[in-house]
Amino acid sequence: MVKKINWNDVPVEQVTPKMQRQLVYGDKVMVAKMKFKDGFLVPLHSHENEQVTNVTSGTIRFWFGENKEETMDLHAGDIVVIPAFVPHEALMIGDVEETDTWTPIREDWLDGTDDYLRK
């Protein structure tokens, strides 16, 4: 079935005091619209999901690799494609709004086993 959804109708999940997200997903792809407060750190992690991150406002500093050997700053309008299983960490510099897209869907975000974000 084709579904029409408006972001204004999607529930906002307050993951931590510095992170909130809205999730829209189908069988094979998930889109998350997120807001972060300055200084929020997504710890080094990896997952089976290919990820596309699109920054709307603010700056995200990414580190890539097991030893964080590559650094990349993304600003409003920038997009990064992160292949599956690539370790990455992200620091929010200023308040950040961004949209992530994954395939396959993030089952850990649906079943609440995304503890790495909630610490």
Side-chain angles (χ1 to χ4, degrees):
M1 293 291 296
V2 175
K3 291 191 271 183
K4 177 183 177 184
I5 300 169
N6 187 292
W7 281 115
N8 293 326
D9 299 327
V10 177
V12 175
E13 177 188 5
Q14 193 71 46
V15 179
T16 74
K18 288 190 168 193
M19 177 190 177
Q20 66 181 35
R21 66 185 175 200
Q22 295 170 281
L23 303 176
V24 173
Y25 54 94
D27 293 331
K28 299 181 183 200
V29 68
M30 174 181 273
V31 178
K33 189 173 176 184
M34 295 185 280
K35 293 182 181 180
F36 299 94
K37 297 288 185 192
D38 180 43
F40 184 84
L41 179 70
V42 178
L44 188 67
H45 68 288
S46 66
H47 40 71
E48 68 170 335
N49 321 78
E50 184 174 36
Q51 175 177 337
V52 177
T53 298
N54 177 15
V55 179
T56 306
S57 65
T59 298
I60 304 175
R61 176 162 295 149
F62 274 101
W63 291 271
F64 299 102
E66 287 185 27
N67 298 310
K68 301 193 287 186
E69 42 282 335
E70 183 179 353
T71 303
M72 181 184 301
D73 286 354
L74 271 67
H75 309 283
D78 289 338
I79 299 171
V80 65
V81 178
I82 305 171
F85 300 109
V86 170
H88 54 287
E89 181 174 296
L91 175 66
M92 307 306 146
I93 301 172
D95 290 347
V96 171
E97 291 187 30
E98 58 107 330
T99 303
D100 282 350
T101 304
W102 294 278
T103 187
I105 64 172
R106 295 291 306 263
E107 294 290 348
D108 60 330
W109 283 32
L110 297 178
D111 65 19
T113 58
D114 55 349
D115 296 340
Y116 73 99
L117 284 174
R118 301 172 186 273
K119 293 178 182 179

